Amino acid sequence: MSHTPSPGIITPKLKANTIVNMIKKGIRSSGRGLTDYRPIDVVVGYVQNADGSALVRLGNTVVVAGVKLEVGSPYPDTPNEGALIVNAEFMPAASPTFEPGPPDENAIELARVIDRALRELKAIDMSKLAIVPGRRVWIIYVDIYVLDHDGNLVDASSIATLSALLNTTLPKVEVDESGNVRVEKNIRMSPLPINHKVVTVTVAKVENVLFIDPDLDEEGVIETKLVIAVSDDSRIAGIQKSGSGGLTEAEILAALDIALKTGVSLIKTIESRVLEPTLGLSTNTLGQ
Amino acid sequence: MSHTPSPGIITPKLKANTIVNMIKKGIRSSGRGLTDYRPIDVVVGYVQNADGSALVRLGNTVVVAGVKLEVGSPYPDTPNEGALIVNAEFMPAASPTFEPGPPDENAIELARVIDRALRELKAIDMSKLAIVPGRRVWIIYVDIYVLDHDGNLVDASSIATLSALLNTTLPKVEVDESGNVRVEKNIRMSPLPINHKVVTVTVAKVENVLFIDPDLDEEGVIETKLVIAVSDDSRIAGIQKSGSGGLTEAEILAALDIALKTGVSLIKTIESRVLEPTLGLSTNTLGQ
Amino acid sequence: MSHTPSPGIITPKLKANTIVNMIKKGIRSSGRGLTDYRPIDVVVGYVQNADGSALVRLGNTVVVAGVKLEVGSPYPDTPNEGALIVNAEFMPAASPTFEPGPPDENAIELARVIDRALRELKAIDMSKLAIVPGRRVWIIYVDIYVLDHDGNLVDASSIATLSALLNTTLPKVEVDESGNVRVEKNIRMSPLPINHKVVTVTVAKVENVLFIDPDLDEEGVIETKLVIAVSDDSRIAGIQKSGSGGLTEAEILAALDIALKTGVSLIKTIESRVLEPTLGLSTNTLGQ
Amino acid sequence: MEKPRLIREDGLRHDGRRPDELRPVRISIGVLNKASGSALVEYGGTKVLAAVHGPREISQRHILLPDRAIIRCRYHMLSFSTHERKSPAPSRREIELSKVVRESLEPVVISEVFPRTAIDVFVEVINADGGTRTAAVTAASLALADAGIPMRDLVVAIAVGKVSGTLVLDIDEAEDMYGEADMPVAVAPSIGLITLLQLNGVLSREEFSEALKLALKGASQIYEKSREALRDRYMKVKVEE
Amino acid sequence: MEKPRLIREDGLRHDGRRPDELRPVRISIGVLNKASGSALVEYGGTKVLAAVHGPREISQRHILLPDRAIIRCRYHMLSFSTHERKSPAPSRREIELSKVVRESLEPVVISEVFPRTAIDVFVEVINADGGTRTAAVTAASLALADAGIPMRDLVVAIAVGKVSGTLVLDIDEAEDMYGEADMPVAVAPSIGLITLLQLNGVLSREEFSEALKLALKGASQIYEKSREALRDRYMKVKVEE
Amino acid sequence: MEKPRLIREDGLRHDGRRPDELRPVRISIGVLNKASGSALVEYGGTKVLAAVHGPREISQRHILLPDRAIIRCRYHMLSFSTHERKSPAPSRREIELSKVVRESLEPVVISEVFPRTAIDVFVEVINADGGTRTAAVTAASLALADAGIPMRDLVVAIAVGKVSGTLVLDIDEAEDMYGEADMPVAVAPSIGLITLLQLNGVLSREEFSEALKLALKGASQIYEKSREALRDRYMKVKVEE
């Protein structure tokens, strides 16, 4: 059963008022504007045993996403295609309010929103992931772990997911005459075939003001938010209204315009971070 | 672990005394006698996506049962027979005292009592449900959901189950040369082969008086009850004493006689409701 | 999550002090010395439906272990070998502090320590347990149930496990031309092939004194314990430090010497109990 | 289910509806005896029952709030409601939809009136033919009203889809399965708030605004039918009294 | 297990028993050290251990009752007690039998003496050869007595079966598996109450009354043996004191 | 992974290390924002994050103790940290290691200072290449120090293995998989207490004492690096202030 959540760590009334008043003036902490992201760091290849991985810092929010490729059976209705499975967990390390255990409704919603955007956009070319058509295909497991929670987990997770997918390579496989598949993880053949890139842009609303990338304090004051998946060719690849409030038709359309504009440039930023050699970032820390 | 239940919604002492005193005089609310059922409504075919279904109202108790047929593997010891799986859930909608979650001991007991009666009587002709003998057979899932709880859930569920089974038809199947089974749910070939009909009759006991079909208020005062499965040929197809009390040998024999007499006529009532066109009952409501 | 345990049934302070003072003088209740086990009773073949079983009393601690042999698929990396699966449960009957439910961390640790000792020592000759090499092998399930808890559950369980394995016989199997396996449980062909025998010896520490086989009262005062698996050829087949304290290097070496000496003679005791006809022990009780 | 031709040559849909046409909507309020409120809502072949218990005290005290009632919500599918039998364990989809349905109700329930209590909403999908979550929102909202819970407005919901390139109202299962997009929308029309919005599929900016308008148009028809059903229910109760 | 000839030409059963003959019954009381009471009961090859803890306080306070002790009961089979290894997860059968065994004890336990406490009964089936639930009831009843719980009477239980058309007492696993009916009965003989009655199979009205009489006859023998075992136990305890 | 030649002709190991040589050790303290304390520890390719929350109150009051803080500990592997994807459900191995890691910390935490609270230690294995539990102990100990929990000493841990008959320090995954023994050891060097000791494999009495000495030697190097990392961290904090 889903239930009205308790406010986690309550933002003191005075601080909350200050945050709202500043947002209404278009100012936010550390001086960023309503449609600015916090600084983004991306470390790809952070996890050696993954087939692709990325550690992402969005301000003080830290997420690691990893991709594992396993040989498995296709779904009966898509016998010649690979399959995608996206999971997310909010680690108890990330916040005093997170409990260990199976993913709660927030983690499940996050994973499903990211999964749907990838799936509906056909972001991954699944038709190239059959190994023995009709029998053996690549199953792509994307696992997202939130390690430090300072707000906007969906966008940080979507950035980590896209980065990890762009970092993923397919290992060599050999199929013997009886159809048995042998994987050589040490030999990498090609990158994962990507048709489209997609990120989410979360637009928050407080007292009729819209802004993006809320941090944890700001999440304590917002009424609701709209998570909008944006593709590299400026289409809307998914929407999820989340939170206990509502929006007017005009607010929704305004939020979409913000998301489309921000999302496309965010994808470019990620591409450059993933493809260029990492500068000044150590894999020895959590990307600080 | 099973534990002594808390009384659910406690019947006030005065009301309880009144109920007991009336039962001892052979009178019950709405004027029915000790061996009278409340009014019974049956709507078959209530659920379009089921292979057979029935909504049953027994007084204010509402139960929906549905049958799903799936192609599966036979049990190793009956390779040429279909299989039957009966489940029951008490929906939280049905009573403020029901919690969401997996079936509790009462729901499990109810399902197993109905399952055993069908199984022991060989009510369904399982030998006609092999598709590819030894390999593929029909698995019959009967799922029972209690939607409104005003007492005597077992009998209401057994009526719903029998009605749903009588409403069930087998779809067309095609088996190709390599033994793969293709089901065409849109083409219905024949009714489910039924050997015998069976219902339960629940006989309740309070202060040495026996009566049938207790409503929720009456269940609050009874000491124990005997659930007796009765076949269309007047045999006893199962018994379950349920509840915290006991019965004397004489009481048990008397209960059996009541059940045998009532059960056979109840089966006739159900047959006529299922086979005749529904009169005056809308599928748009819960059978009211 | 593992958490600091609450003291179960608290040994009263005065009694605890007495126990500690006596141990420091080398004396224990019922007069045994620091490196003496309590009396050991072994009843093999206690469970008729098991393929091997033993009921063990170690003082007032009672454990029953049973072996079930099932035909299954081998692990991919050992296609021509049988497999071993060890489970342990602490039954709620055994102590007012044990709750029904899946095994807790203590039961899991116990099972894994015994499993590892058997596995690392290659105590069972797994290469003789393939039925159809590469496809069908014997899976050996060892299930350990603690029925009465008066301390030192690991050693009692390891004695019961070894006894049950020595009591286990392989049934006749027939393989038909298409590779199907038929087991005839009524015909017993040979004992389970055993390469090595192994038991654990638990050495407890309180205020720098080491002693073995702590009873429940003694477990209430010890700081930590070292579980040492000892093979029949005097090797160390596994170690597990357990409990919230620590040991010095010298204490560890001293504990090892105690364990090696005690373990080898314990194995001899078990062998004689298992192989000789049971004298004066009834299978009608719990081995009293 | 085999893929039907979703948009016919005459521009109508596979079941003969116009693109902006709802399936038949049937609403029954107060169908259960033991619940505080209940409603059965059908959109064509989709049949959803909602029941409300409460406001009430609950044993899990620690999740209650000092200044308002909490809403608890479970969206649940009966095992035989779908083409393939649904396993009884809660699916990730059901967990997500329980949240989404709850959050569509939060803005209209005046929860401050009942602090330290829970209002429980149980949604049972009896038969699924597309649009179960939107029928669930409408049914839940009516069950809340039937339970006498004070509300700022009714919430009603309807889905818009894109099938064979055309935007269509109230998609059924075939249109959902073989179409390009599914966009469920819940709205509290009198207070002008959209309280549920999901897009499962890909749309351009222009398609989206058109789709949203179509959804709001469909919702206003559901709203009228809902208010009518409530009026009937109350009049009937009055007459019976 | 292959199907044996259940009734031989001489009218005796596959193991040589007469139709109304019990298997050897063995009873040991007080076999556990840490439980408040315990008993080990064997009906032929069936071996069942019952342990009682309490009356005691428990952490789940909300299930306690203000005017009586509650009884909690778990019927559980050791994994190696059956022909095929039993998976450790509680089966639906175990859940049902935990309830049925508890309800067979409720009428005799004088629970009003210990309000706001729990009396816990743990049944462990060590070896299963038919009749585990009836051996469980007898063992549980004796364990309660051993724990000093005040009782109106002992409850003892035995099954009657119909095999190859004949009613037989105390059926074993082969008779259960290949027979036509299994009817476990628990009775508190001195107060004349039947506290467990199940029928798994099909009987005529006449067969049923005959079967019930046979069960009560068998139960009275178990009752004598149980009281004897209790007398022995108490005398032994007295002597040891 | 195919079996490499574990000890080469020149006496060095498959990755070129001497038998008594550690892999590169990297330590970062205070890497997380929302935890009370945290540390990231790498032994070669093994990367482990530890976070501490508390001392704090918790909702499960009944497990708290009146005279000390309890320690709660979870050892957890990210699904992609291993060669084969790890299923998200807690494995028996993880449950055991959560206990073993907690018990390695208990002797050094001065828990009496915070009665009726919990100190929570969360270990996340990010990449596993042998020695995850020992890296976990070192990281947990540093995270506790970072959280300001008073401690009698740091605990550091390292494994010794036996591969191709040779005792070697700090075994990696290949050496663990194809070697004869794995012996993780945790030690609080200044107070001379060994707080974790496991042996997974078979050793003679002599091999064991040699192996223990080798472990203590390796641990003292980890200890120095840990103290250095703590010093750096505190100085940095001071400078930032």
Side-chain angles (χ1 to χ4, degrees), chain C residues 23 52 85 95 144 146 165 207 214 224 245 247:
Chain C
I23 287 173
I85 294 167
S95 164
I144 300 164
V146 172
L165 289 170
E207 295 196 18
T224 197
L247 300 103

Side-chain angles (χ1 to χ4, degrees), chain A residues 110 113-114 151-159 200 202 219 225 227:
Chain A
L110 182 154
V113 165
I114 290 175
N152 200 9
L153 300 183
V154 183
D155 292 2
S157 297
S158 101
I159 296 168
T200 64
T202 295
E219 286 188 347
K225 60 190 182 182
V227 179

